[in-house]
Amino acid sequence: MFDWQNWSLFFSQFHFIRPLWLIALIPAFVLIAIRWKSDTKEEWHTTLPPHLRRALTIKQTGWQRQLPLKVLSATITLAIITCAGPTWQREVSPFGEDKAEVVFLIDVSHSMMQTDVPPSRLERAKHKIMDMIEYRSGGRNALIAFAGSAHIAMPMTYDQGVFAPFLTAIEPRIMPVAGKRVEQSLPALNTLLPDDTGATIVLVSDGVSASSIEMFAEYFQQTSHSLVVLAIGQPSSTSSNPTGYADLSRLASEAGGNLVHLSVDNKDIEQVTRLVERNMQLNGDNKMPWKDMGYALLIPIALLSLLWFRKGWLVQWAVLIALGLPSYLVSPSAYAQSTDVPSIEATKVATPTQWQQWWWDLWMTRDQQGQRLMNRGQYLQAAHQFESPIYQGVAYYYGRDYQQAHHAFMAAQSDLGDLYASMALARQREYLASRNLLQQLSEKPNLDSNLRHKVVQNLSAVKAIIEEIERYSESQMNTTDGAEESFEIGDNPQTSEGAEETVTEELLMKESLNANEILGSEALAQRWLDRIESDPSLFLQNKFYLQLEQQPTAGESQ
């Protein structure tokens, strides 16, 4: 299918990484022109009359004239362009999760309870958001719910398991203020997206007001963030609150975004995902290097070079042997596609034999072989090929073996390795160790400025997780929760036998667990998580009321 968005990305971003190589085209064309002129003026051409020359020569007219020189010219041109490094997109981050950031703005007004889209517009919007997150399979997502006020229901997170229950709990009854004022979400957007990192805001709604359009247009004119509007509703519906397609289309147009219509299949999800990825490539992390796309030109260069060996069967058989030998030495089972390898032991089955490894070593370095396996999704196998500890750690991280990834990153003995090691610790829920490592890294005086920015961001995120745990721990003080709901130490105090039950002041004291104690015990951490997930709607309702007391107005955010 023709995708104009990818072609627009190509035309807008295309350039050469090493443009000075293009200067080599000038002497190359001069030499080719001289050679062409000399070949057309050989002495024997003037000796024979034209009618005899035509009868005694072959392949000297039409497109076959000077064919070897034409092939050489095309080969040299492609080689110089390859050296110049054509590109139109940046390298991806070494971590698969570091994809585009998306903030979902979900309309929770009462009009979203219309049933023209069964079971309701709101429920269908929730399903579409979860489908989009699963379809993207990576990247950070955040959730803002708005009605008469807007509130952060879920900050930026990679974890779909944490995101899902809070999205499910979104209902109009938990919103502090009724209405439909999407412009109230602008302060929350500034909180979630403090840097101009080219994130995408996906608005899922059935209509907006004129004032919202003006404020949103002004916001997106001042940032590289992109807006995608997913219109919820049926165009032919006879609902008392029909979907305002005209207003949503105007909002998308004036904010420089795109309008996507709801569909019964995944066409809307695929379209939104393409828009998200395009915005990331256009306005993503400018610190990532440009991806050299010239390597693809090596294939036509090699094919054109083979034309120089067209005489004799010996060379042709050599070419067939060279092409067939890899398939003989490397059996399909050696690198079987498997992304669900549960352990490192399972990868030993897919380890190449000595002869297979010898063959690949002839053509690729170990790091290149590892990257080849990474591209095929065989992450744990790739970890055994990489020689670089950083690459090896990234492969383990992709393969969800975070403990091995942490060891590999620490073996790198570099600031970048320490940063990635802290992320591997966080993935193991070792938040305290991750925080301490990031704290030490941030205190280094000679730390690279770009790396320091990432360290500060990750440190802030880890501290926020720990503070959230401590806040919930402190909320258990002076509560009447039973033994199943409490994190108190000493749930079963000792009493005297045969006498009236007496409880000392010491036993009456309820000791709240802090983050160190909760994170230090897997059982306590699980009980804490179970308590949070028991009623997310009640939690969100209390959270939204607290946010309403503290948040600024939309006008103050501008």
Side-chain angles (χ1 to χ4, degrees):
M1 178 183 294
F2 180 80
D3 192 345
W4 174 251
Q5 295 172 356
N6 291 334
W7 281 104
S8 64
L9 175 65
F10 171 82
F11 288 120
S12 61
Q13 298 279 73
F14 181 84
H15 65 283
F16 292 97
I17 301 176
R18 299 172 292 273
L20 293 179
W21 268 99
L22 297 177
I23 300 177
L25 290 172
I26 299 176
F29 288 155
V30 170
L31 292 176
I32 291 172
I34 294 174
R35 178 63 181 176
W36 181 281
K37 187 175 181 180
S38 64
D39 286 349
T40 58
K41 289 187 176 181
E42 295 184 4
E43 294 182 359
W44 67 272
H45 283 197
T46 59
T47 304
L48 292 175
H51 67 282
L52 292 178
R53 186 167 64 246
R54 287 193 298 268
L56 296 176
T57 59
I58 59 175
K59 297 182 181 179
Q60 294 296 317
T61 59
W63 68 273
Q64 291 182 327
R65 184 186 182 190
Q66 298 284 10
L67 184 58
L69 188 58
K70 293 178 182 178
V71 173
L72 178 61
S73 303
T75 304
I76 292 177
T77 302
L78 289 177
I80 293 176
I81 293 176
T82 301
C83 294
T87 183
W88 57 89
Q89 65 184 40
R90 293 186 180 274
E91 293 278 3
V92 297
S93 174
F95 288 96
E97 294 88 345
D98 295 337
K99 292 186 177 180
E101 294 182 339
V102 176
V103 179
F104 292 98
L105 300 183
I106 184 169
D107 188 346
V108 200
S109 59
H110 287 285
S111 65
M112 292 289 288
M113 302 305 293
Q114 296 291 319
T115 58
D116 56 333
V117 180
S120 69
R121 294 177 182 175
L122 181 59
E123 290 303 317
R124 181 62 66 89
K126 295 178 186 179
H127 295 161
K128 287 295 182 180
I129 290 176
M130 282 309 305
D131 289 343
M132 277 186 271
I133 294 176
E134 293 175 1
Y135 187 85
R136 293 180 64 226
S137 65
R140 298 203 303 165
N141 304 282
L143 178 65
I144 297 177
F146 72 91
S149 58
H151 307 276
I152 300 176
M154 175 58 61
M156 285 292 182
T157 179
Y158 293 113
D159 198 336
Q160 299 180 22
V162 174
F163 196 99
F166 287 95
L167 175 62
T168 305
I170 297 294
E171 298 176 359
R173 65 179 179 84
I174 71 173
M175 301 303 294
V177 182
K180 187 190 289 285
R181 300 183 61 190
V182 66
E183 69 272 13
Q184 292 293 323
S185 62
L186 295 179
L189 288 175
N190 290 330
T191 301
L192 291 173
L193 305 171
D195 300 321
D196 202 13
T197 54
T200 301
I201 291 90
V202 179
L203 171 62
V204 186
S205 176
D206 60 356
V208 292
S209 63
S211 60
S212 302
I213 296 175
E214 296 177 0
M215 298 185 70
F216 257 64
E218 182 180 354
Y219 173 81
F220 282 98
Q221 288 173 0
Q222 301 172 358
T223 179
S224 65
H225 304 318
S226 175
L227 176 65
V228 178
V229 180
L230 178 59
I232 300 294
Q234 288 289 351
S236 59
S237 172
T238 58
S239 169
S240 58
N241 287 290
T243 301
Y245 287 103
D247 292 333
L248 292 174
S249 178
R250 181 186 163 201
L251 170 63
S253 176
E254 296 191 8
N258 299 87
L259 176 66
V260 178
H261 291 270
L262 181 72
S263 65
V264 294
D265 53 13
N266 287 339
K267 290 183 179 178
D268 51 355
I269 297 174
E270 295 172 357
Q271 185 177 356
V272 171
T273 303
R274 287 196 301 268
L275 292 170
V276 170
E277 294 299 326
R278 184 190 65 171
N279 182 61
M280 178 191 67
Q281 293 172 344
L282 287 173
N283 304 302
D285 189 359
N286 293 329
K287 301 180 181 66
M288 296 303 297
W290 289 99
K291 183 178 181 180
D292 194 337
M293 310 296 288
Y295 293 108
L297 296 177
L298 294 176
I299 296 177
I301 291 175
L303 294 177
L304 291 174
S305 300
L306 290 177
L307 295 177
W308 290 93
F309 302 93
R310 64 190 184 281
K311 288 185 178 181
W313 284 93
L314 180 61
V315 174
Q316 297 183 29
W317 279 111
V319 172
L320 292 177
I321 294 174
L323 294 176
L325 190 59
S327 60
Y328 172 77
L329 290 178
V330 183
S331 61
S333 60
Y335 288 95
Q337 189 80 4
S338 175
T339 57
D340 297 325
V341 182
S343 64
I344 299 178
E345 294 297 327
T347 64
K348 294 182 179 179
V349 178
T351 302
T353 64
Q354 181 178 0
W355 284 104
Q356 293 164 354
Q357 189 63 61
W358 170 83
W359 173 257
W360 287 112
D361 289 342
L362 288 177
W363 310 104
M364 298 181 180
T365 66
R366 287 302 180 96
D367 286 342
Q368 290 173 335
Q369 296 174 42
Q371 185 60 50
R372 172 180 172 272
L373 292 171
M374 286 280 289
N375 295 338
R376 299 176 61 179
Q378 299 168 262
Y379 305 125
L380 296 181
Q381 293 94 322
H384 290 276
Q385 294 292 339
F386 281 124
E387 293 180 344
S388 168
I390 290 292
Y391 293 159
Q392 190 178 57
V394 169
Y396 278 125
Y397 193 97
Y398 267 96
R400 300 179 183 274
D401 192 342
Y402 302 118
Q403 185 175 8
Q404 290 294 336
H406 169 254
H407 294 328
F409 288 140
M410 294 302 295
Q413 296 182 353
S414 64
D415 294 337
L416 182 62
D418 291 345
L419 172 61
Y420 289 166
S422 68
M423 299 174 67
L425 286 172
R427 279 292 184 175
Q428 302 175 67
R429 295 175 60 186
E430 296 286 349
Y431 301 120
L432 299 178
S434 177
R435 179 198 63 186
N436 295 337
L437 184 58
L438 289 170
Q439 188 69 47
Q440 295 175 4
L441 194 58
S442 65
E443 294 174 355
K444 289 189 176 182
N446 58 344
L447 189 65
D448 180 74
S449 59
N450 295 333
L451 193 61
R452 184 181 299 277
H453 177 70
K454 296 180 180 179
V455 169
V456 172
Q457 281 188 330
N458 289 352
L459 180 60
S460 176
V462 172
K463 285 183 177 179
I465 294 175
I466 297 176
E467 290 174 0
E468 188 76 11
I469 295 175
E470 291 181 344
R471 184 159 51 249
Y472 277 103
S473 174
E474 292 172 0
S475 68
Q476 304 307 307
M477 299 182 63
N478 300 323
T479 63
T480 58
D481 294 325
E484 293 297 325
E485 300 276 342
S486 176
F487 292 117
E488 299 165 6
I489 295 180
D491 287 330
N492 300 307
Q494 302 268 336
T495 60
S496 59
E497 183 178 357
E500 184 178 356
E501 181 176 331
T502 58
V503 182
T504 64
E505 181 180 358
E506 181 182 274
L507 294 177
L508 283 173
M509 294 177 61
K510 295 184 177 182
E511 183 175 354
S512 175
L513 298 180
N514 57 27
N516 293 353
E517 293 167 328
I518 293 178
L519 295 176
S521 171
E522 184 175 353
L524 289 177
Q526 187 60 45
R527 290 173 61 189
W528 177 79
L529 290 173
D530 292 340
R531 178 174 176 82
I532 294 177
E533 296 175 357
S534 61
D535 191 1
S537 61
L538 180 61
F539 163 73
L540 286 178
Q541 186 176 22
N542 295 332
K543 179 180 179 179
F544 289 173
Y545 275 96
L546 290 175
Q547 288 181 353
L548 185 63
E549 297 177 358
Q550 301 173 358
Q551 68 180 209
T553 62
E556 293 174 353
S557 66
Q558 303 298 316

